[in-house]
Amino acid sequence: EMEIAGYDDLKVIYGDEFKKIEKKLHDLIQRSIIFEFGPSSSLLRVDTAVADYLLRGKTKLCAGLRKKLDTYVKGVVDENVTLTDDPTKYMIKCKDLIDRGDFKMEKLLIPSIALKAIIRMYRRGTTAGYEATANLCLEVLKKAHAVNLMDEVKLDIKFYLCLSFAHLGREKEFFLHVKDFQGIRRDFLHGFWFRQNHNYQKAKEYYEKVLAVSGMRKARNEYVIVLTLLKRYDEARKCASVQFEEDPDNPYYITSYFKCVSLCKEREAEDTDLMETLISRMSKSIVKDREQYVDAMKLLRMVRDMSLSRTEKYNRIEALQRQYPDMNSYLKDAIEICRNRLSK
């Protein structure tokens, strides 16, 4: 929610409750989850890997803290502050302007602000989010020379631009900008384009080119998705197993592996215990919509349960549809898979 925060900011946000969280704050610092920096170590930031995990999981603040933070941000946005006056407040103002579509380049002089805003918009996972991402990328790149963006940062921005174009199906723009890449990133983007546009065999070929020369995690995750879409479940399971073993707490690897196991026609002796382990791990995750993911996994396991009648299985599907009128894509896919299996 905030790129950096000062102790003074947290005292204002938490008010009288600051003393209650101060001990926890220092514990997080001791565990290298939060770092102190700046003049007299007065500024704080969350470890990059931890922040990335929280962002990917779309973790939400509790309602009380959300209200306090919104009140603080609203007050800061109305202030006339510069980077040298107060870096924390300046970056809050930048984030607010960018989120509202106000892409003033003087607010993007810090490359990290622009790039993090782009990533944040992209992770909304909506058509509007991809449109906003593409617009911001193009705006930053248009004035890249004026703000002295390094080539590496420009390529990172173009990477998200191409991803957004792929989601939006904007073929001409995608292939215009993908030419700026070489090697595995170019092959990955081609694979992503073809996966998003339903040419799964072509996508598979590009991801195999990437994985033949690197262990790129994004490519391996995409490869699992493509193999599943091609109904090559045994191959998908092997690849998903490798991902899970490397990072067993990653909620996306847990759910991906579970789906592969549930879809394999040939059951292995350890499948029952494995599925229970994966459900248990997911239930402890802090990812947004955790309950939907867990219920989807239980549904995929239930459809294989021969002790339950077809009617009982259909009743469970209908109950989930009533419980989650605004369900996520994983649960939607699980319901579709189960309906297809029950119709045979």
Side-chain angles (χ1 to χ4, degrees), residues 63-98:
L65 182 54
R66 173 81 270 170
K67 186 176 180 180
K68 290 179 181 179
L69 182 59
D70 287 345
T71 301
Y72 181 71
V73 169
K74 185 177 180 181
V76 169
V77 168
D78 293 333
E79 291 185 30
N80 184 19
V81 64
T82 66
L83 180 61
T84 52
D85 292 334
D86 189 321
T88 302
K89 290 182 177 180
Y90 178 80
M91 294 181 83
I92 288 174
K93 286 178 69 70
C94 291
K95 180 179 181 293
D96 178 74
L97 284 169
I98 293 168

Side-chain angles (χ1 to χ4, degrees), residues 187 191 200-210 223 226:
D187 286 333
Y200 304 130
Q201 184 57 42
K202 197 73 174 175
K204 175 178 174 290
E205 292 169 10
Y206 274 107
Y207 289 139
E208 286 174 343
K209 285 179 67 177
V210 175
Y223 190 54
V226 167

Side-chain angles (χ1 to χ4, degrees), residues 140 157 193 291:
V140 175
I157 291 171
W193 167 267
E291 292 79 10

Side-chain angles (χ1 to χ4, degrees), residues 97-326:
L97 284 169
I98 293 168
D99 286 348
R100 289 191 283 112
D102 187 350
F103 306 148
K104 293 179 180 178
M105 290 310 295
E106 64 267 23
K107 300 298 181 185
L108 298 172
L109 291 174
I110 303 175
S112 64
I113 293 178
L115 187 55
K116 286 181 180 179
I118 286 165
I119 295 172
R120 190 171 60 251
M121 285 180 177
Y122 178 81
R123 285 181 177 165
R124 290 176 186 171
T126 62
T127 299
Y130 300 134
E131 290 281 6
T133 303
N135 291 338
L136 179 53
C137 287
L138 291 170
E139 188 68 26
V140 175
L141 291 169
K142 191 191 313 179
K143 299 181 181 178
H145 179 71
V147 296
N148 297 316
L149 280 182
M150 295 183 295
D151 289 341
E152 183 180 349
V153 176
K154 280 192 277 189
L155 278 177
D156 285 340
I157 291 171
K158 285 195 175 187
F159 187 78
Y160 282 96
L161 177 63
C162 288
L163 291 177
S164 298
F165 283 151
H167 279 288
L168 297 168
R170 290 163 61 173
E171 184 174 6
K172 183 178 178 181
E173 293 101 323
F174 175 86
F175 284 101
L176 173 66
H177 289 281
V178 81
K179 293 176 183 176
D180 295 325
F181 293 91
Q182 301 294 327
I184 61 173
R185 291 188 96 183
R186 185 171 183 173
D187 286 333
F188 174 84
L189 287 169
H190 275 117
F192 193 78
W193 167 267
F194 286 114
R195 200 267 283 181
Q196 288 295 324
N197 289 276
H198 312 297
N199 188 337
Y200 304 130
Q201 184 57 42
K202 197 73 174 175
K204 175 178 174 290
E205 292 169 10
Y206 274 107
Y207 289 139
E208 286 174 343
K209 285 179 67 177
V210 175
L211 295 173
V213 294
S214 80
M216 186 179 183
R217 285 192 172 190
K218 287 182 181 179
R220 190 188 296 152
N221 190 45
E222 283 288 316
Y223 190 54
V224 171
I225 294 171
V226 167
L227 288 173
T228 303
L229 290 167
L230 289 170
K231 299 184 179 181
R232 300 173 71 157
Y233 303 129
D234 291 333
E235 293 174 65
R237 174 176 177 153
K238 290 177 183 177
C239 198
S241 173
V242 173
Q243 282 190 146
F244 173 73
E245 288 170 6
E246 288 182 354
D247 189 359
D249 293 319
N250 187 310
Y252 300 103
Y253 294 169
I254 293 171
T255 53
S256 177
Y257 188 23
F258 189 96
K259 183 181 284 187
C260 293
V261 172
S262 70
L263 289 171
C264 284
K265 290 182 180 180
E266 297 298 325
R267 300 182 188 181
E268 297 184 13
E270 70 275 10
D271 279 3
T272 300
D273 290 341
L274 174 58
M275 294 174 89
E276 186 60 40
T277 297
L278 294 173
I279 290 173
S280 176
R281 281 189 173 275
M282 194 63 201
S283 67
K284 297 172 185 175
S285 170
I286 59 172
V287 70
K288 179 188 174 186
D289 296 339
R290 176 183 61 194
E291 292 79 10
Q292 289 195 42
Y293 283 108
V294 170
D295 282 339
M297 294 165 78
K298 289 180 178 178
L299 182 66
L300 289 169
R301 180 181 62 180
M302 182 202 69
V303 81
R304 295 173 53 156
D305 188 346
M306 302 304 291
S307 68
L308 296 175
S309 69
R310 188 181 298 268
T311 300
E312 288 175 304
K313 293 174 182 179
Y314 272 122
N315 287 342
R316 180 54 183 156
I317 290 173
E318 290 170 3
L320 288 173
Q321 289 176 318
R322 290 193 298 270
Q323 184 179 351
Y324 301 114
D326 186 23

